[in-house]
Amino acid sequence: MAAGRDREGGVPGALPALERLPAEQARDLFELTRAASTFEAAALDKSIDSMIGALPRPLRAVTKKIMFGGR
């Protein structure tokens, strides 16, 4: 795996600092960043569902769609 070339939707663009890291450390950093992003998205979804859950049932789906789109 090329440290600065394998982005797969993770880190956009060229990052010269990654080129200076050993390949193993760059890969670890990339995986940690991806894991943090996944965790953050899951926490945000849980928070949104919790907030929407406080609304009356007929308003939940409409409110979620208006405020958060397809999330």
Side-chain angles (χ1 to χ4, degrees):
M1 174 173 152
R5 292 173 185 79
D6 188 0
R7 306 259 186 262
E8 299 174 8
V11 182
L15 297 173
L18 284 181
E19 297 297 330
R20 294 182 179 203
L21 289 175
E24 185 176 320
Q25 289 180 357
R27 184 175 31 253
D28 289 346
L29 180 61
F30 183 72
E31 291 300 322
L32 286 170
T33 302
R34 188 185 316 192
S37 177
T38 301
F39 176 79
E40 183 180 6
L44 180 60
D45 288 340
K46 184 177 178 182
S47 177
I48 289 170
D49 289 342
S50 175
M51 184 207 54
I52 295 295
L55 296 173
R57 189 171 300 276
L59 300 176
R60 291 178 189 172
V62 174
T63 302
K64 188 173 183 179
K65 188 170 185 176
I66 290 171
M67 291 180 70
F68 304 104
R71 186 161 196 102

